[in-house]
Amino acid sequence: MSALTEPVALSAALASFTERWSPRIVTAVNDYDVRVAKVDGEHLWHVHDHTDEFFLVLDGELHIALREAAGERTVVLPKGSVFTVPRGTEHKPYAPVPTEILLLEPTGTSTVGDRHDEVPAHVDATTGHALN
C-alpha cells in the first residue's frame, strides 16, 4: 500500500469493520504500515524478532504483559498512551474493555510475530487488511 492522497478519519476507519484483533492498514509511512484495530480480551504470547511494535491507545485501555530478562511485568496503557515493545521481547496484549488502538509496524509484519503460542480463533493472524 502506498501513502494515501486524501486524509483518513480514524473514526471512520474504525467504524468500517467490527472484527476484533484484525488490524486495518490506514496508510503507510516509508516502509511502515499505520494500522488501526479493535481489541477486546486476550491476544496471545508472541515475539517480533526483528522489529519493535508501537502501540497508541485511541480509546479504552490496553494491558501488555512482557517477559523480560528481569522477569514478567504488565504495562497499562489508558486512552492517549503510547508504548513500544522492543524487538525480541515476548509480549501478550490484553484489553479488559473494548479498546481501539493504532499500531506502527514495518509493512508485512505479522500480528502474531515470528514466534508465538497457538493462535486462538478470535485472533486474526495477518499482516493487516486494507480498508474497505
Side-chain angles (χ1 to χ4, degrees):
M1 168 181 213
S2 60
L4 301 176
T5 58
E6 295 296 325
V8 174
L10 294 181
S11 58
L14 286 157
S16 73
F17 65 98
T18 59
E19 296 84 5
R20 303 289 189 223
W21 302 109
S22 183
R24 299 307 192 266
I25 301 168
V26 294
T27 191
V29 180
N30 298 316
D31 298 328
Y32 282 76
D33 288 341
V34 179
R35 305 174 183 178
V36 293
K38 294 179 177 183
V39 299
D40 193 9
E42 294 190 3
H43 195 261
L44 67 148
W45 284 104
H46 66 285
V47 177
H48 299 279
D49 288 327
H50 306 290
T51 184
D52 301 335
E53 187 172 21
F54 172 87
F55 294 86
L56 164 63
V57 177
L58 301 169
D59 194 33
E61 180 177 281
L62 185 68
H63 298 199
I64 304 174
L66 304 162
R67 290 181 176 154
E68 301 170 311
E72 195 170 302
R73 70 181 176 115
T74 299
V75 294
V76 177
L77 287 74
K79 179 179 177 177
S81 296
V82 300
F83 184 75
T84 300
V85 175
R87 71 192 70 199
T89 301
E90 192 174 11
H91 60 288
K92 179 180 183 178
Y94 167 75
V97 298
T99 297
E100 297 175 343
I101 61 175
L102 182 142
L103 303 153
L104 182 63
E105 299 177 295
T107 299
T109 299
S110 171
T111 57
V112 296
D114 300 303
R115 294 177 282 121
H116 54 80
D117 284 352
E118 184 175 336
V119 180
H122 70 277
V123 173
D124 185 8
T126 180
T127 56
H129 298 283
L131 283 176
N132 294 331

